[in-house]
Amino acid sequence: MADHGFSFSQLNDPQRDAVKTLGGPLLILAGAGTGKTRTVTARIANMVREGIAPEKVLAVTFTNKAASEMRERIEGMVAGGKGADMTVCTFHSLCVRVLRQSIDRLGYKPKFAIYTASEQTGLVRRLINKYAGKDENLEPGLAISLISQAKNKGIPVSDDADSLVSEVYRAYEEEKRLLNAVDFDDLLVLAEKVLREHKDVREYWSERFSHVTVDEFQDTNKLQMDVLQQIVAHPYNICVVGDDDQSIYGWRGAEIANILNFERFFPNPKVVKLEENYRSTTPILHTANSSIKHNANRREKKLWSRMLGDDKIRLIAMPGDFEEAEFIADEIFEIAAVQKRPYEDFAVLFRTNAQSRSVEQSMRERKIPYRVIGGQSFFDRREVKDVLAYLSVMVHAEDDINLLRIINSPARGISKTTIDLAISDSREARCTVWEMMQESMFTDQLGSRARNAVETFIALVKQYSEEFQAVGVKYADVAERFLEEIGFEDFLERQCKNTEEFDKRREGIHSLIEDLRRHQKEPKKRKHGLRGFLDDMALNGDRDDDDITKQKGVCLITLHAAKGLEFPDVYLVGLEQGILPHKRSLVEGTLDEERRLFYVGVTRAMKRLTMSFCSTRKKWNELHACEPSVFLAETDKKYIEEVTLEQVHGVPLGDSDSEDEFANMLAMLEGIEGVDDD
Ligand code: ATP
Ligand code: MG
């Protein structure tokens, strides 16, 4: 087939209608699993078939994971490698592109640094310490989320302009400005600003992209909508796809209003509704529908499926989280072996990161391969951050945070006193530490050894900055040589408790260099050099992992990260009050959003869904009693089979008689064991 995977016969009527509508605003509104993503990817393939230049096609998603999935799907559907010429990216990386080209219009220097979440935390923590009064306290995480909300909504951070958080906010903005650095939210704020204020910039981008598509549109916030409005010009060839029932980023300012009032932003849109679900069986859909209908303010939808399915949904009462994890690992192990199924068929979905630990433990003991998505990221590992900090300094030494991170590690004779002096002098002179270190008014204060150390360091950074930024350079090779020159591995080894730890950390560095090498091999990426690599890292690292498809094994994933994905066999765990709904939501009155998370979880399952709750949970080595989630009580039980752990151990995995007998025998044996134990 010339068009690879794309043909109209694989679409139903409304899907085909959407795929053929290429001009003007289009809103595709649909429930989970109705083929929204399939439809927009086919629609993009159709653009190319209709002769629209691939370079003019832009598809925006909310997460990196979604972007890479979509890119893959499109490339599979478009003939002749044309898929590679399209732009498929997140809002944040779109904004980086805009700013790399035009941030100087806003008075910044063109080479700006993007602060990752951890760099942001470091800076905010320092400012809180600086400004907090004796009995004042402010959690950096809370400050950051307040600042982020304020920026995204364009409102002051607090009603009181003299409050600690207001002061920290001001200082935070000033400091970033001084260092020519931006955070994630700034990317959107500044891109919107430069587009709005500069007609030529705006026209460049709306000309560059004649056809724009946004998946998971329900998660866009006001700022993202503003960016879209700047980029999409008359005749508004914009297609957005979304499901108001899956809007789960309210805490990041996502506005369901964007979807509910789409026509206010782009006039006279064509609206296509998709209602046939191709992913899940009737029991799964019925259960999902019966829960989500308890939400107010939603666009009513009738989701249905042709797949009746034989399996009911199991709801298992577990004695504790340990038993929950053990049960799941045992069952997956057995099903995978007996039914010869790949581990990638299975997913365990949870509300909070902490819940993955016990499941991981049980998987590990059985040597079941697994991947954790949405948990602690690779990029949070210390050695990886160190190397990234070095590389950042090489392209932008004015970046104080990264410079200070590496200035004396490995140790090179620049003492804490010298560093503190450089910091305070630079603040006084309103310049960066890097600039200050090169001033004689600073070095004149130092003893000869300290001065030597500083000068050697400056020479090192200058030498390698040049090498890294030379035209056509193989930056992965330079990075390797650089790490060797500074003795990074020895430094790493000295920090590790044993060889095992050292191996693991060294492995982390090697895979980072591999990433760099891959980047260097791709012509499209290579042209942005090391700077481009670091941008990608900053955008990927603190958000979610984008290589879910590359990793193998059972998927352990948070509900937030699971959106848009599907698995034949799903375990939805920890359905307890305080977990789902999360305890914060009970205070903040965001129960509807938690219900949507529950809905997202249920609708990830294709064939088989197992839900569970625990009556106790271990925390800090103490047992706590738990209550089943309110969402279970309000959900219709027509297709739900409620069982205890003891009962489920006696239930066969399949329907065949022989398995039945086997299970009965097992149950009998267990009964006998139980007597023995007493
Ligand atoms: P979500 O709301 O979770 O993002 P979605 O609406 O984007 O879901 P897709 O992921 O595009 O849905 O599709 C769900 C499943 O249904 C996929 O496996 C897809 O291949 C399949 N599917 C979609 N449309 C059709 C169709 N017309 N015929 C057969 N299968 C389809
Ligand atoms: Mg989708």
Side-chain angles (χ1 to χ4, degrees):
M1 206 174 11
D3 280 307
H4 297 273
F6 168 55
S7 106
F8 286 113
S9 63
Q10 291 172 335
L11 302 165
N12 65 28
D13 287 346
Q15 287 176 337
R16 201 175 305 127
D17 186 16
V19 168
K20 288 185 170 168
T21 306
L22 299 182
L26 173 64
L27 167 64
I28 302 176
L29 189 71
T34 52
K36 292 187 295 299
T37 303
R38 178 191 269 223
T39 303
V40 288
T41 42
R43 188 172 172 276
I44 289 172
N46 192 36
M47 291 178 190
V48 178
R49 164 139 93 190
E50 292 290 325
I52 293 163
E55 302 79 32
K56 296 217 152 202
V57 175
L58 168 69
V60 193
T61 61
F62 197 66
T63 64
N64 293 296
K65 167 173 49 57
S68 64
E69 272 225 340
M70 186 182 274
R71 197 176 303 120
E72 249 164 62
R73 287 211 214 177
I74 294 174
E75 282 175 9
M77 281 188 199
V78 178
K82 283 187 195 150
D85 297 332
M86 301 178 176
T87 305
V88 184
C89 65
T90 63
F91 273 104
H92 286 90
S93 52
L94 174 66
C95 291
V96 172
R97 282 163 214 234
V98 173
L99 292 176
R100 283 276 167 238
Q101 205 160 307
S102 321
I103 200 170
D104 54 333
R105 299 293 192 84
L106 301 175
Y108 283 76
K109 285 178 266 178
K111 275 201 266 166
F112 59 91
I114 304 169
Y115 277 174
T116 62
S118 47
E119 287 158 345
Q120 192 184 19
T121 311
L123 178 53
V124 167
R125 178 173 291 126
R126 189 152 59 70
L127 294 172
I128 291 175
N129 288 341
K130 183 168 169 191
Y131 290 104
K134 256 211 305 298
D135 355 272
E136 268 182 316
N137 200 2
L138 179 61
E139 235 267 294
L142 177 65
I144 287 171
S145 96
L146 291 173
I147 290 175
S148 172
Q149 279 178 30
K151 272 195 205 179
N152 276 293
K153 296 188 178 151
I155 53 170
V157 69
S158 128
D159 296 335
D160 177 2
D162 296 325
S163 64
L164 176 58
V165 67
S166 299
E167 207 154 11
V168 168
Y169 186 19
R170 265 195 306 275
Y172 173 72
E173 291 301 305
E174 240 171 64
E175 185 112 338
K176 271 193 296 109
R177 195 68 187 73
L178 175 71
L179 304 173
N180 207 44
V182 302
D183 65 19
F184 283 133
D185 296 319
D186 294 333
L187 293 174
L188 294 162
V189 174
L190 297 176
E192 195 274 334
K193 190 168 152 68
V194 79
L195 287 163
R196 179 165 37 80
E197 292 177 354
H198 298 274
K199 187 157 174 269
D200 58 323
V201 177
R202 190 166 61 240
E203 282 175 353
Y204 171 84
W205 288 102
S206 45
E207 189 127 324
R208 168 88 170 72
F209 297 124
S210 64
H211 287 74
V212 178
T213 306
V214 188
D215 196 6
E216 305 281 1
F217 183 68
Q218 72 278 354
D219 291 324
T220 51
N221 63 22
K222 176 173 180 305
L223 207 47
Q224 289 158 337
M225 189 67 194
D226 291 344
V227 170
L228 279 178
Q229 280 191 284
Q230 298 299 342
I231 286 185
V232 179
H234 188 79
Y236 311 116
N237 298 328
I238 177 170
C239 164
V240 305
V241 216
D243 176 2
D244 50 329
D245 290 334
Q246 295 186 69
S247 170
I248 54 176
Y249 283 101
W251 52 282
R252 279 192 198 157
E255 300 262 3
I256 302 195
N258 286 347
I259 206 168
L260 297 179
N261 307 323
F262 182 70
E263 52 271 29
R264 285 227 316 258
F265 303 102
F266 296 102
N268 305 319
K270 173 167 177 153
V271 180
V272 173
K273 279 194 175 187
L274 307 177
E275 299 192 309
E276 174 167 4
N277 175 298
Y278 291 92
R279 174 181 295 145
S280 313
T281 62
T282 301
I284 292 166
L285 283 184
H286 178 87
T287 304
N289 283 335
S290 78
S291 166
I292 199 67
K293 75 163 200 261
H294 289 91
N295 271 6
N297 284 333
R298 53 185 287 268
R299 291 212 185 192
E300 184 68 33
K301 295 175 213 64
K302 301 181 287 279
L303 266 194
W304 63 280
S305 165
R306 285 172 212 262
M307 295 174 282
L308 297 180
D310 319 310
D311 292 320
K312 277 194 162 186
I313 292 172
R314 289 180 303 170
L315 175 58
I316 311 179
M318 300 283 183
D321 49 343
F322 172 73
E323 289 82 357
E324 185 179 55
E326 291 282 297
F327 167 77
I328 292 172
D330 274 340
E331 190 172 274
I332 292 180
F333 185 78
E334 199 177 328
I335 299 181
V338 173
Q339 302 179 5
K340 303 214 168 24
R341 299 250 306 274
Y343 281 120
E344 292 71 38
D345 274 8
F346 303 85
V348 183
L349 272 50
F350 39 85
R351 172 69 178 88
T352 62
N353 281 317
Q355 288 170 264
S356 79
R357 198 165 315 143
S358 53
V359 183
E360 269 188 76
Q361 187 65 32
S362 302
M363 297 277 167
R364 233 174 251 216
E365 278 164 13
R366 288 161 186 77
K367 303 215 166 8
I368 301 175
Y370 67 88
R371 52 207 161 132
V372 185
I373 315 290
Q376 203 216 6
S377 126
F378 172 70
F379 304 98
D380 280 341
R381 286 162 56 172
R382 193 179 48 194
E383 67 281 5
V384 174
K385 283 205 285 199
D386 277 343
V387 173
L388 288 176
Y390 263 110
L391 298 179
S392 300
V393 169
M394 293 308 158
V395 293
H396 182 61
E398 283 81 17
D399 172 359
D400 277 11
I401 296 223
N402 282 315
L403 184 85
L404 294 173
R405 186 177 178 98
I406 51 105
I407 190 166
N408 198 40
S409 67
R412 55 174 65 86
I414 304 181
S415 69
K416 184 161 185 316
T417 331
T418 309
I419 297 170
D420 285 346
L421 186 65
I423 296 175
S424 64
D425 280 4
S426 71
R427 288 302 173 267
E428 215 159 287
R430 301 204 48 76
C431 67
T432 66
V433 171
W434 171 248
E435 286 161 336
M436 181 48 69
M437 287 199 311
Q438 297 173 73
E439 292 289 332
S440 54
M441 73 174 248
F442 168 70
T443 43
D444 285 350
Q445 306 169 76
L446 304 176
S448 63
R449 276 169 72 185
R451 191 162 56 220
N452 266 337
V454 168
E455 281 165 3
T456 314
F457 176 68
I458 290 174
L460 175 83
V461 173
K462 282 190 170 162
Q463 179 203 330
Y464 276 95
S465 298
E466 252 170 53
E467 288 199 35
F468 272 113
Q469 295 185 74
V471 181
V473 71
K474 294 223 160 33
Y475 37 90
D477 304 349
V478 180
E480 239 173 354
R481 188 153 45 78
F482 172 73
L483 292 178
E484 201 171 310
E485 171 157 350
I486 62 171
F488 195 78
E489 282 204 359
D490 295 340
F491 164 68
L492 204 58
E493 190 167 15
R494 283 198 297 279
Q495 288 181 316
C496 294
K497 286 190 285 296
N498 48 42
T499 45
E500 231 168 86
E501 188 189 342
F502 176 50
D503 285 344
K504 193 176 144 233
R505 291 187 183 276
R506 191 166 50 175
E507 198 42 54
I509 300 304
H510 286 175
S511 62
L512 187 65
I513 298 285
E514 276 318 299
D515 283 347
L516 202 53
R517 194 153 278 141
R518 259 198 300 280
H519 194 270
Q520 179 182 278
K521 275 197 193 128
E522 268 183 63
K524 231 181 140 187
K525 295 189 164 172
R526 181 170 58 222
K527 70 171 192 252
H528 300 291
L530 181 60
R531 171 82 271 168
F533 175 79
L534 292 168
D535 281 353
D536 286 356
M537 287 291 143
L539 292 173
N540 288 332
D542 282 322
R543 314 228 120 203
D544 36 58
D545 232 303
D546 69 335
D547 52 0
I548 169 174
T549 42
K550 278 186 237 142
Q551 299 172 39
K552 293 281 167 218
V554 177
C555 187
L556 314 189
I557 187 167
T558 61
L559 289 167
H560 281 101
K563 196 158 52 65
L565 305 180
E566 59 189 21
F567 306 91
D569 215 312
V570 166
Y571 294 83
L572 191 50
V573 304
L575 297 178
E576 296 138 37
Q577 284 299 96
I579 292 190
L580 185 68
H582 194 276
K583 56 178 182 295
R584 226 174 21 229
S585 74
L586 302 172
V587 186
E588 293 173 356
T590 47
L591 198 66
D592 280 8
E593 181 148 324
E594 296 291 309
R595 197 178 280 112
R596 289 193 288 267
L597 270 171
F598 179 59
Y599 174 81
V600 167
V602 171
T603 54
R604 295 311 95 198
M606 300 166 81
K607 296 207 166 67
R608 197 159 153 279
L609 174 65
T610 306
M611 307 195 287
S612 54
F613 61 91
C614 305
S615 35
T616 62
R617 207 164 261 283
K618 215 173 198 173
K619 212 172 161 191
W620 314 116
N621 249 342
E622 262 179 57
L623 273 190
H624 292 265
C626 315
E627 294 281 324
S629 166
V630 285
F631 299 150
L632 294 172
E634 64 188 30
T635 299
D636 184 50
K637 302 291 190 314
K638 181 169 171 196
Y639 292 106
I640 294 182
E641 182 175 37
E642 294 180 77
V643 282
T644 61
L645 184 57
E646 290 76 48
Q647 286 168 330
V648 85
H649 272 143
V651 174
L653 291 172
D655 296 315
S656 82
D657 288 342
S658 61
E659 272 175 357
D660 236 312
E661 259 178 48
F662 176 69
N664 286 338
M665 227 166 68
L666 262 181
M668 240 172 66
L669 283 172
E670 262 175 17
I672 296 167
E673 268 177 24
V675 175
D676 265 352
D677 278 346
D678 274 343

